[in-house]
Amino acid sequence: MEWGRGIVAVAGHDLEYACWGPAPDTAPTLVMLHEGLGAVDLWRDWPAALAEATGMGVLAYSRAGYGRSSLVDLPRPLDYMSREATDILGPLMDAAGVQSAVLLGHSDGATIAGIYAGSVSDMRVRGLVLIAPHFFTEAEGLAAIRAAGTAYGTGDLKARLARHHDNADVAFYGWHDAWTDPAFADWNVGDAIDHWRVPALIVQGTDDPYGTRAQVDEAHDRSYAPVDVLMIEAAGHAPHHDAPDQVRDAVVAFCTTLQQLEQSAVQITQI
């Protein structure tokens, strides 16, 4: 059940947040990082379902420029995901009182989580759940983003986004214009994977127009820590919406295993 919702000041931004389950300073917490057009409300009922199924707390927030958070100036810098990881995520967890976390990100949010795990030394982070992450650009994904630009200009996408963002143009063009900038074609953050030291679960839809199996293989092949992979047949870019029960069960199993491993390590230390 959602118990906390509000605005928190972090690194010069006013960020919308919501919490479900135990408070972040009392229990392990799933910290949810949304996609490139997402926000707190666009997770729908999934945070509540995860809190109930895992027994963990859940903290979701809208990045600056999204949802009800403060706006940002456009264009966004092309390294905006790295900046979110290094400048915002840690202070946000500090402000919320997070003591132990599994970072759960979708799309851009998954990339931000992966960058954080590979570039910030934070012992609070016990694991990663990355849904449709991207670590480098692919021609297929860039084509899908350009198609989204057409849909935003000519279809009902703008009206749908306006229900969830204070300024739909800032949310959309901050994402779209960065990814379609010619200089972004060489973007690659795969080196962050080389520095992961926590287990990861990666979930990918087989019909995702924004990313292929190559993104998953990049993480699986480069990570020093264990990486579990769940491919969801016939799912698109949001497998947690296309196959919510299957993805929820995988997240529950992953988090349960993490907790069992930590308990075993504590018991060994006490012997």
Side-chain angles (χ1 to χ4, degrees):
M1 182 177 192
E2 179 184 335
W3 62 263
R5 178 179 285 264
I7 300 291
V8 61
V10 176
H13 302 289
D14 293 329
L15 303 180
E16 173 190 28
Y17 73 90
C19 298
W20 295 258
D25 59 351
T26 65
T29 302
L30 282 162
V31 178
M32 302 184 73
L33 297 102
H34 62 76
E35 63 172 314
L37 297 179
V40 167
D41 288 344
L42 284 164
W43 286 111
R44 304 178 191 171
D45 59 355
W46 214 50
L50 288 175
E52 181 177 359
T54 64
M56 299 172 65
V58 175
L59 167 66
Y61 78 102
S62 299
R63 298 192 293 276
Y66 295 97
R68 311 308 171 199
S69 294
S70 56
L71 299 181
V72 295
D73 294 329
L74 299 184
R76 285 186 181 273
L78 299 189
D79 63 346
Y80 71 93
M81 286 178 278
S82 294
R83 295 191 187 200
E84 184 74 22
T86 58
D87 299 344
I88 306 297
L89 182 53
L92 182 280
M93 290 194 289
D94 293 342
V98 172
Q99 302 297 308
S100 175
V102 173
L103 303 182
L104 187 158
H106 174 217
S107 192
D108 276 16
T111 303
I112 292 165
I115 294 171
Y116 189 83
S119 59
V120 178
S121 179
D122 188 342
M123 296 299 292
R124 293 174 296 184
V125 176
R126 310 298 202 202
L128 304 172
V129 177
L130 308 181
I131 302 173
H134 30 249
F135 304 106
F136 52 88
T137 57
E138 295 181 279
E140 300 92 333
L142 295 178
I145 292 170
R146 287 191 289 270
T150 300
Y152 188 80
T154 62
D156 67 347
L157 179 57
K158 181 173 182 175
R160 289 189 284 117
L161 289 177
R163 295 198 292 266
H164 304 286
H165 303 286
D166 282 346
N167 190 313
D169 284 348
V170 169
F172 182 82
Y173 289 113
W175 165 76
H176 173 273
D177 290 358
W179 276 87
T180 57
D181 188 303
F184 201 80
D186 295 327
W187 173 83
N188 189 312
V189 294
D191 57 348
I193 302 168
D194 300 335
H195 302 282
W196 290 357
R197 294 299 181 266
V198 295
L201 167 65
I202 301 183
V203 182
Q204 178 79 26
T206 60
D207 294 344
D208 185 348
Y210 292 98
T212 71
R213 176 67 190 245
Q215 304 286 345
V216 178
D217 292 341
E218 181 83 351
H220 184 270
D221 295 344
R222 294 183 69 158
S223 177
Y224 175 85
V227 173
D228 294 332
V229 174
L230 175 62
M231 298 296 298
I232 306 292
E233 292 295 328
H237 190 55
H240 55 296
H241 293 326
D242 295 339
D245 293 344
Q246 186 177 359
V247 179
R248 180 204 60 213
D249 291 348
V251 174
V252 171
F254 178 75
C255 291
T256 298
T257 299
L258 286 181
Q259 293 172 358
Q260 291 173 342
L261 290 173
E262 288 200 7
Q263 291 170 358
S264 298
V266 169
Q267 292 171 353
I268 292 173
T269 302
Q270 292 175 342
I271 294 176

